[in-house]
Amino acid sequence: MEPLDPWSAENTVDQRELARAETSAAYALGKLDGRLTRLGETEERLFCADLVRRTLLGALTQAGYLDAPERFADWFAGLARGPEHIAEAPSSALGIVRALLSEMARHPWEPLARTAQTLQRCARFVADAIAPSPEEQTRETDATTGALDRARVLVEVLPADADGPLPFAALAALCTAAAHDPAFAPMEAGIRTYDTGETLVALAGLRPITPLWALDVAAGILLAQRTSLARALPMPGLFTTERLLLAHAPDRQALALAHALEVATTAHLAALDTARTRAALLTQRLAGLRRSSRAGEAWILLAGFAPLGLDQLMDAIGVSRRGTYAVSAALTEAGLAERQSRQGKVLLVAIERARANEIPGPVFTGALGTAVDEFDEAMADLDRLLARTGSQEVTGT
């Protein structure tokens, strides 16, 4: 019998390398799981705002909209059109964003669902230059929500594995199932022909893109079901066409998935660190404001998601036009935001120039004090009116 050559098979990888990769990923998952259960309220909301943004940008990038990170803020504020559409994209950028916001608005984790609902109210996404017909809109909605539903089904039908809370066998099974599913399977590149006037030239086109971003969302459900995570967090960037194409090489696929899972988990851990720093900064800078002030709520969206216009602020935190001026003044005076004028529209943009332990306490000037006093007086009038109305209802007068 010939001695076994461990490098002779295409599928073979160093098992020690695979074990190290899975151990590192499992350690990162355990660390993330522990930190998710010890979040303060402000950290939680900051993390959720950032998570929604990263999930949307990850999905758009995977769908072929590579310019989404640069265009997203102005697009969300209604100042510019969205990412450039490409022929290989499975759906429009707006369709993907709407589907994901609707999905996260129903998430079982209440802070994430509440954040997505808030962003749905205040979004001002600019539609494409040529509006699709109602039939096209229906088809796109069916395609995007259908991808999410199909990904969820693939997770639900996965067999139970013997790894316990470790998700590696289940992730590999999900990857293999997706590689053979019509909704996600990699598609062959088409052929494009061009008539030069003298001859026909045939060129290989780009491979059509399948909605793998839906699998990234479903992976969070899988991790929660396997008790690997306390929350069903989306895992942007976990599934790629290259990893699906490794279905014929299970060990290589397992190694690639372990590395990708560690990268996605580490991104969540970094976001939690950022949320903690921002929460400390917010608490210190706004220590002088009354508890009912909406300034902190507004800054969470500014810092975690994107700049907001004053009209968006009204819908996001439920204040009047006059209230937006008080919130804007408070954040500007505290050094947490600045007003920028873009295309005739005023935007509030978050500022994070120093850490909380390097910042002196807020010193409010007379201008800010006047604005805050007016806001407090208006809130007090409202409180008195509500109290008087309640008394009348109780006494029947």
Side-chain angles (χ1 to χ4, degrees), residues 7-354:
W7 304 105
S8 60
E10 181 183 3
N11 175 49
T12 302
V13 299
D14 187 341
Q15 294 300 308
R16 291 169 299 182
E17 181 183 2
L18 177 58
R20 282 194 295 268
E22 292 187 342
T23 300
S24 296
Y27 174 76
L29 271 177
K31 187 176 180 181
L32 176 61
D33 185 50
R35 292 191 60 180
L36 285 173
T37 60
R38 301 195 305 270
L39 288 177
E41 181 181 356
T42 303
E43 290 179 51
E44 195 173 60
R45 294 166 63 189
L46 281 162
F47 175 73
C48 287
D50 180 74
L51 176 61
V52 174
R53 178 184 175 85
R54 289 187 294 116
T55 300
L56 296 181
L57 290 180
L60 292 172
T61 302
Q62 188 278 321
Y65 297 100
L66 302 183
D67 58 343
E70 292 75 25
R71 293 192 176 208
F72 187 83
D74 286 347
W75 184 37
F76 176 71
L79 300 177
R81 298 200 181 279
E84 288 291 334
H85 183 78
I86 62 173
E88 294 76 20
S91 302
S92 71
L94 185 57
I96 293 172
V97 166
R98 283 175 171 168
L100 283 172
L101 284 177
S102 297
E103 179 75 9
M104 287 184 282
R106 301 189 297 269
H107 199 277
W109 189 22
E110 184 180 353
L112 181 56
R114 190 165 57 246
T115 300
Q117 292 163 9
T118 299
L119 294 171
Q120 282 181 311
R121 291 197 305 270
C122 66
R124 300 292 187 271
F125 291 111
V126 178
D128 295 333
I130 302 177
S133 65
E135 294 78 11
E136 292 173 333
Q137 291 181 17
T138 300
R139 284 196 299 269
E140 180 165 277
T141 300
D142 291 343
T144 52
T145 57
L148 290 166
D149 292 341
R150 183 57 189 163
R152 192 181 299 108
V153 169
L154 290 182
V155 169
E156 292 172 352
V157 300
L158 286 178
D161 56 77
D163 285 349
L166 295 177
F168 304 111
L171 285 175
L174 177 59
C175 199
T176 300
H180 295 89
D181 190 276
F184 306 109
M187 302 173 67
E188 294 295 331
I191 302 296
R192 298 182 180 180
T193 59
Y194 300 91
D195 188 353
T196 64
E198 298 179 356
T199 184
L200 289 175
V201 178
L203 298 175
L206 297 176
R207 186 191 299 273
I209 300 172
T210 55
L212 301 183
W213 48 266
L215 294 175
D216 293 339
V217 175
I221 301 174
L222 185 151
L223 293 173
Q225 288 179 351
R226 294 300 195 276
T227 68
S228 298
L229 279 180
R231 311 296 183 191
L233 303 185
M235 291 286 172
L238 183 58
F239 292 94
T240 63
T241 299
E242 291 73 18
R243 289 172 197 139
L244 263 63
L245 289 172
L246 287 175
H248 68 285
D251 283 355
R252 291 171 56 199
Q253 186 183 69
L255 181 62
L257 285 172
H259 285 311
L261 181 60
E262 183 180 6
V263 169
T265 304
T266 302
H268 287 319
L269 288 169
L272 287 173
D273 290 337
T274 301
R276 175 181 294 176
T277 301
R278 286 172 171 170
L281 176 63
L282 179 65
T283 300
Q284 186 175 26
R285 286 293 186 93
L286 297 185
L289 296 184
R290 58 176 283 167
R291 294 177 59 88
S292 61
S293 173
R294 303 292 181 87
E297 188 177 348
W299 193 78
I300 287 172
L301 295 176
L302 296 178
F305 191 76
L308 293 175
L310 297 185
D311 60 323
Q312 292 175 288
L313 204 59
M314 294 170 62
D315 293 335
I317 62 176
V319 296
S320 65
R321 188 73 178 185
R322 183 178 179 180
T324 64
Y325 296 138
V327 169
S328 173
L331 292 176
T332 302
E333 186 72 12
L336 288 172
E338 63 182 9
R339 294 165 66 99
Q340 295 182 3
S341 180
R342 301 182 189 174
Q343 301 182 24
K345 184 175 183 177
V346 176
L347 291 183
L348 271 181
V349 182
I351 299 176
E352 305 173 71
R353 292 187 180 142

Side-chain angles (χ1 to χ4, degrees), residues 362-392:
V363 178
F364 298 107
T365 66
L368 177 61
T370 302
V372 173
D373 290 341
E374 291 177 354
F375 185 72
D376 286 350
E377 185 178 351
M379 294 297 294
D381 290 340
L382 181 59
D383 292 340
R384 286 191 292 270
L385 176 61
L386 292 174
R388 186 163 60 251
T389 303
S391 298
Q392 291 174 352

